[in-house]
Amino acid sequence: DGAFRFANIFNDNMVLQRDKPVRLWGWAVPGSEVVLTIEAEKPAAAAGAGAAAKAASEYSVTMNYVETNAPPVRPQRVAAKADKSGKWVATLAPMPGGFTPRVIRAKSGGKELTISNVLIGEVWVTCGQSNMTWPGYFAKPLIAPSASYPGLRYFRVDDSWYKPLDDLQRRGQWTICSPETAGGFSAIPFLYGLYLHTYLKVPVGIVNNARGGTNAASWTSRAQLEAINDPQLSQDLADYDKQTAEWETPAGREKVMAAWREQCKQQEAAYQRKAADAKAAGRVAPAK
């Protein structure tokens, strides 16, 4: 639609991978130029996120890190051009890990986008079934009150689709680990991320892309699945393609969603009838 924006995973407080080229992308007017810069963020601006968090509660404590011989922040400027679909891709040169906040700016057609409080460190993706989304863990009441780790960031992908996408369907946000937010981190990503953070002594960003009920094939590339010589798997892939064929068009997706909404409506009505019958008989309503 020509709207100038970053892909939905790129937001304030994010962590970018250290020591490797960093690929950023988004959308703009087809054929337009996009100029991307990254540099150290001014202290006043970098402190803004902490000030906002403090103002959100009556009492808040923010821990800071002390770096010895912190790596210098070398500004970068790269240009990209939006293709016919409007997508643009810009690649930043490798940067060492460090706790100096950075700001990323993208300019195109007189418009400017800004991403603040960006750290460079380790980025890890966690995925799997529902047990990888559970926020509770046995030591939560003991760990959370002291979990003030501004260099540990968490991004939950609350999204799923039947094939790889260039962008998330919904815009998410990166959460800075604090006593107020640690409880919302999924347990395994939190503990694993904290281990990496304290052991490697660099910022760590965890992208949690888990979905309950998924099978192993859901996390395996199509090319790898097709390389397996198994008649049943080949049939499963053919059936999958047939089932998802109508999802390729907006009209087809709406048809599928309409059927799903109707099914939800019927199930809700059935539950309400069971709940009413239980109440009339003096029983506890069944769980949904």
Side-chain angles (χ1 to χ4, degrees):
D1 60 3
F4 182 38
R5 66 180 182 88
F6 280 100
N8 285 329
I9 196 170
F10 301 125
N11 291 302
D12 292 347
N13 308 320
M14 68 179 179
V15 179
L16 298 178
Q17 179 61 43
R18 63 173 175 165
D19 301 328
K20 291 185 178 181
V22 176
R23 182 173 176 267
L24 301 173
W25 70 93
W27 286 265
V29 175
S32 63
E33 184 184 52
V34 177
V35 176
L36 194 81
T37 61
I38 183 170
E39 59 185 350
E41 193 163 21
K42 295 180 180 179
K54 184 175 181 180
S57 61
E58 294 183 359
Y59 178 74
S60 179
V61 176
T62 300
M63 302 294 287
N64 293 311
Y65 301 93
V66 176
E67 286 185 293
T68 301
N69 297 322
V73 177
R74 295 185 172 86
Q76 295 189 45
R77 180 184 184 277
V78 295
K81 187 175 182 179
D83 62 18
K84 293 181 180 179
S85 70
K87 183 179 179 180
W88 55 268
V89 180
T91 302
L92 298 171
M95 295 169 281
F99 293 89
T100 302
R102 291 162 166 82
V103 58
I104 297 174
R105 294 185 176 89
K107 297 181 180 180
S108 181
K111 298 180 180 179
E112 180 174 313
L113 305 174
T114 302
I115 300 178
S116 300
N117 198 23
V118 178
L119 298 181
I120 311 300
E122 287 289 308
V123 179
W124 288 74
V125 177
T126 58
C127 59
Q129 295 186 328
S130 56
N131 58 343
M132 286 296 287
T133 66
W134 293 339
Y137 48 94
F138 73 97
K140 183 177 179 179
L142 299 177
I143 296 177
S146 60
S148 186
Y149 302 104
L152 178 61
R153 314 285 175 86
Y154 180 73
F155 186 98
R156 177 179 174 179
V157 179
D158 190 17
D159 203 354
S160 61
W161 198 237
Y162 69 101
K163 65 178 182 180
L165 296 173
D166 286 339
D167 195 18
L168 299 176
Q169 299 178 85
R170 289 180 289 273
R171 188 174 180 84
Q173 69 176 37
W174 286 83
T175 301
I176 299 174
C177 184
S178 70
E180 294 82 7
T181 64
F185 284 44
S186 183
I188 295 176
F190 170 80
L191 295 172
Y192 186 66
L194 181 59
Y195 169 77
L196 291 172
H197 184 43
T198 55
Y199 180 76
L200 298 175
K201 295 179 176 59
V202 294
V204 171
I206 300 291
V207 178
N208 187 20
N209 182 22
R211 181 62 58 182
T214 51
N215 54 31
S218 302
W219 305 102
T220 308
S221 73
R222 182 65 182 252
Q224 289 174 310
L225 292 174
E226 291 177 341
I228 299 174
N229 184 20
D230 180 77
Q232 183 58 57
L233 179 57
S234 297
Q235 184 60 52
D236 290 344
L237 289 174
D239 292 341
Y240 179 79
D241 289 340
K242 183 178 180 180
Q243 293 168 3
T244 59
E246 61 183 336
W247 297 358
E248 291 294 331
T249 64
R253 290 194 292 271
E254 179 54 34
K255 180 182 177 181
V256 173
M257 291 305 297
W260 175 77
R261 287 191 290 267
E262 179 60 28
Q263 185 180 25
C264 290
K265 183 179 178 180
Q266 293 176 3
Q267 291 180 348
E268 178 64 23
Y271 170 79
Q272 293 300 336
R273 288 194 296 270
K274 290 181 180 179
D277 292 343
K279 183 177 180 180
R283 302 191 306 270
V284 177
K288 282 190 176 182

